[in-house]
Structures are given as C-alpha cells and as structure tokens.
Amino acid sequence: MEQYEPDRLSPAQVAAMRRSLRSGRAALTRRSLLRASTGGALAAGGLGLLSGCGIPAAGKSEGGVSAEDHSKTEKQVRFSNWTEYMDVDESGRRHPTLEAFTKRTGVKVTYTEDINDNSEFFGKIQPQLAAGQETGRDIIVLTDWLAARLIRLGWVQKLDPANLPHAFTNLSPQFRNPDWDPGRAYSYPWQGISTVIAYNKKALDGIEVKTVSDLLDNPKLKGRVGFLTEMRDTMGMTLLDMGKDPARFTDDDYDAGIARLQKGVDRGQIRRFTGNDYTSDLSKGDFAACLAWAGDVVQLKADNPDIDFVIPESGYVTSSDNMLIPNKARHKTNAERLIDYYYEPGPAAELAAYINFVCPVDGVKDELAKIDEDAANNPLIIPDQAMQARSHSFRSLSSKEEETAYEEKFAKLTGA
C-alpha cells in the first residue's frame, strides 16, 4: 500500500490542476458543455488545500476499512457525482433512474453533485480518509488516475462480487482490466471518456485528416490545429501515432512525444492547447481539426452538420470515471446494489441516452435503440468490437513520475 505523505505538490501538479479548473474537463458540464467551477473561492480553496502547507496527517491510514454496514436498517445510499452527469426529467428536478431504483428496492438515494474537479474533491475528502473517518458518502465517482491513487492508499473498500452480478457479467471488455484495478476489485466505470480527432468539414475544405501526424505535419493546417491541455489525452494520442503503447511507454518515448509536439508549437502548426473550449473554435472553423472528447463530439455533431470525427488506425485513448466505495461508508451493500443497478441494460440505456458518453455496459444497444436509435448506432456511445479493439489506456504513473518528469515537461510544452 502506498504511504500517504502530506507534502506540497510540485509546481507542475499545481499547474495541471489549474489547467483542469480553468479549461479542462472540470471547466464545462458533461451534458451542456457549459460546466463552470463553482466559483473562485472553491477553486482556490481546493488548490490551497493541496498546494499550500499541506494537510497534516490526522492518523495512520488503514487499507480497505469497512464500518458496520447499516444497509438493512438504514434504507439509504449517499451518492456523490459530477454535475450534469445523471439523467433528469423535463422539469430538470427529478432523476428517473434513481427514482426507479428507490421504487424497486426501497432504498432512498441522496444524490449530490459536489464533484467539480478531481483534485479539489480529493482535498475535500482527504482529511477524513487519512484519519480513518467516514466521509459521509457511500459512492464517489473519480477519474482513473485519482481512483488509482485512492486504491493505492487503501482508502476505498473491496467490492463484494455477490452483490454485483450484472456488473460482473455486463462490464464491457475494454474496461475490465485497468492496470490500477485489475479485474475491477475496487471500482466500476460510471462512463467512459474517449479521445478522438474531430474536424470541421467546411474549414478543412477537402484536406484529409486521419491521423495525429496529419494534424502535426500538413502545412495546409498550420495555425488551425488544437491539442488538449489534459496531459494523458494529448500524450497518449501522440504516443499511439508514434507506434508506442501508452500503457507501456518509457521515459525516452515520452520525451520523444514531447519533442514532436514542441516542433508543432515552434512552427506555429498548433494554434493552442485547450480544454473543452475547443468546441467553440471547432464550430466556428478557427480549428480545422483537433483532439476532442467523444461526448462533446456527439453534441457538436447534433448542432452542426459540418462537425465529424475520425478514429486513427493507430488507435485512441479511453479513460473512465469510476464508482468507488470509500472507507467507513455506512451503507456498503446498498451502494453495491446501486452500482449493480446501473449495469442492467435498461437503466444503463436511459443514462446513456441522456449524457452521451461511452457506455461501459455490454448488451445495452437494443435497449438504447428503443429510446434513441441514433444514439444506439453511434460508435462514440456504443463502440462496436472493432472500435473497442483500438482503445488504449494511459498507464498508471508513480507519484515521482507525475510530480516531476511528466507534468513538468507537459506544462512547459503548453505554456502553463
């Protein structure tokens, strides 16, 4: 188990957090592309917790610590998620799938949209977890790298397979064995997040774009190309284009990728590095092509017929946001029942129809077609086997790698 040390974060890590809060996935909503942080105070507060003097260790961490499970006597589960990441009805106030779960099981869900950024949320729950105390939450949803960190620290509970029959059976093969949680002993994906190449057909005006090399090397695209401020997405796609596996790359591979992108910056080929704000540049034609997140592309295509995407032959990068049960959660069994519920094809289809990200549930296509046939046939939501086979994950990073080498080099590249 990794030992938690409440040291300062490196300048590169702080810069990465600020990029995420300012313009990365934390900056815009999952559904409407308009997520904003809840204000400067919250953003500054989260960064202050993590990058100031550090939070003193309140106690020795224990691995996978459970509390007495009150699921039988307390028919409730407390679920913390990102904003705009759950189906809602036309009134915008009710969550149909959650209400259906409560009606079936009698378990009331207290659903809170209090995750705006991975690092900020870590700062919120770290004191309790480090002290071996309850967080007041039974399910939390975190992106791969932070989920991996909590598992290494021993701050989340091992799941009981007996309570997860649908999840075990229906989990899509492309999400089954991340290197940070082989076999999904501690986590199950909420949604997948794929990075692809998006383009504006009108702005391209007949120019062919199929690869990252096309973005970097075609002089006709000079100054009209965008890459992402999220290191794992941009570097993963670049490494794949270079014939390297982002799950197994070396320091030399990473440096070669940085050097390749730096040439694109120096020549003016790359207009800028962006978060979700690439959506405006792409729609207007300021970007002819760029790296993009699949969930955004689904929305953009619906609004603008000139927007389309391509999956490079070399492959694409997929990450996931993951459900975990923190240590000392009071309602572990109820939490596992809710996780399993979202791996039934019906609820999974309702969720996918609303949020339009990569559904991690196999066998959902027929159910989704009953709700939205276009969504069911969209490979960005329901990848077919061929597309799944081209999916790659960015490998887990050690604290030293993340703090010193990789984030610092990427921050220098992007000018952060």
Side-chain angles (χ1 to χ4, degrees), residues 10 17 81 141 172 180 185 197 201 253 269 286 288 290 360 384:
S10 72
M17 292 175 201
N81 204 349
V141 178
S172 173
W180 49 270
I197 296 175
K201 287 179 278 190
D253 295 333
Q269 184 77 7
D286 291 340
C290 62
D384 58 24

Side-chain angles (χ1 to χ4, degrees), residues 52 63 80 105 240 308 313 365 382 385 393 397 403 414:
S80 280
T105 64
L240 283 169
D308 213 334
E313 285 297 326
K365 184 173 183 177
I382 309 292
Q385 289 186 351
S393 298
L397 301 178
E403 287 178 10
T414 62

Side-chain angles (χ1 to χ4, degrees), residues 307-327:
I307 305 300
D308 213 334
F309 73 98
V310 64
I311 303 294
E313 285 297 326
S314 59
Y316 65 103
V317 174
T318 300
S319 60
S320 57
D321 287 330
N322 309 277
M323 296 177 282
L324 306 103
I325 300 176
N327 283 356

Side-chain angles (χ1 to χ4, degrees), residues 2 10 13 22 27 39 65-66 118 140 223 315 351 393 395 410:
E2 179 179 295
S10 72
Q13 279 192 307
R22 182 176 65 246
V65 180
S66 61
N118 284 288
I140 55 178
L351 186 64
S393 298
R395 72 170 171 83
F410 190 74

Side-chain angles (χ1 to χ4, degrees), residues 84-104:
E84 303 289 344
Y85 218 14
M86 179 66 74
D87 58 304
V88 298
D89 66 3
E90 292 183 359
S91 73
R93 295 189 296 271
R94 299 171 59 187
H95 302 294
T97 57
L98 290 177
E99 292 186 0
F101 173 79
T102 297
K103 184 176 180 180
R104 182 201 297 182

